[in-house]
Amino acid sequence: METCEEETSVISADEYLRAVRQRFVAAGCAVTEEAIGSLPVVVGYRAKVRLLTRMHSFAVVAKVERVDEESLRGFVDDVVNLGLGRKGQWRGMQSGVIVLPILVAEAVDPAAAALTQKAYRLNLNGFAAMAQPAVVDVTAGRVWTFRGTRLWGYAFNSLIKQSYEAYLPEPAAELS
């Protein structure tokens, strides 16, 4: 007797990373390949004016073997520092920074996934920067990120949501 098992296709982390890079380009981002520490990353940069404020948006994606809460928090801090360091290059208009740190892995600890399910709070004075991390578990075929409404930074909530919708396809879906 033959058994019929449903065959699931798992996309690799490398394939997913290439798809995100292509989506950065399609969305009009300036795309660079850089390093944060020893970790190679792809950076998508785009500026938009919202409510008389120029928002500098940095989406930074990296592939890692496993994501835990500590490594996710460290990556968010590094990406925030990258965004704030580059923000000083632009003068003349009131501006802020939105950073979208994205880790792609084949294994995600529950604590790291839980961290992405709420509005991420930076311990910085003022409203110069906002961050919202995302974790992509290619094995589970899932994108973990906050999809609710922020109270702090409410005016820029839709910008974050639109960016993640444009940049992060569900790994289980057909990538094109």
Side-chain angles (χ1 to χ4, degrees):
M1 176 192 263
E2 290 183 31
T3 60
C4 181
E5 293 182 17
E6 186 176 316
E7 193 175 305
T8 57
S9 175
V10 176
I11 185 171
S12 76
D14 288 325
E15 291 170 318
Y16 191 87
L17 206 59
R18 280 192 293 276
V20 170
R21 187 184 200 296
Q22 290 171 350
R23 285 174 173 245
F24 285 170
V25 171
C29 294
V31 179
T32 57
E33 293 183 17
E34 302 181 30
I36 292 181
S38 63
L39 187 63
V41 298
V42 176
V43 178
Y45 166 76
R46 190 171 177 192
K48 282 191 170 189
V49 175
R50 290 262 172 114
L51 301 174
L52 300 176
T53 301
R54 185 175 187 108
M55 294 305 296
H56 302 280
S57 179
F58 294 90
V60 181
V61 62
K63 178 185 80 163
V64 295
E65 288 183 32
R66 180 175 195 79
V67 179
D68 60 24
E69 184 177 356
E70 182 181 344
S71 64
L72 180 58
R73 285 185 187 277
F75 185 66
V76 171
D77 290 345
D78 290 343
V79 174
V80 168
N81 288 332
L82 176 129
L84 290 176
R86 297 212 179 139
K87 177 188 176 261
Q89 297 173 5
W90 301 289
R91 305 273 187 240
M93 182 178 236
Q94 180 180 348
S95 64
V97 175
I98 294 175
V99 295
L100 306 174
I102 306 159
L103 288 175
V104 179
E106 293 181 2
V108 176
D109 288 345
L115 182 63
T116 66
Q117 298 304 292
K118 55 189 173 192
Y120 195 85
R121 296 289 307 263
L122 293 173
N123 294 323
L124 299 173
N125 292 330
F127 178 71
M130 291 177 57
Q132 187 58 57
V135 174
V136 179
D137 185 337
V138 293
T139 303
R142 180 90 195 259
V143 174
W144 297 96
T145 192
F146 179 68
R147 299 179 196 275
T149 302
R150 296 173 155 272
L151 295 178
W152 291 104
Y154 178 79
F156 304 104
N157 196 55
S158 65
L159 180 60
I160 293 170
K161 286 182 179 181
Q162 290 168 358
S163 296
Y164 272 145
E165 285 177 19
Y167 304 155
L168 300 180
E170 290 294 329
E174 184 70 33
L175 294 173
S176 57

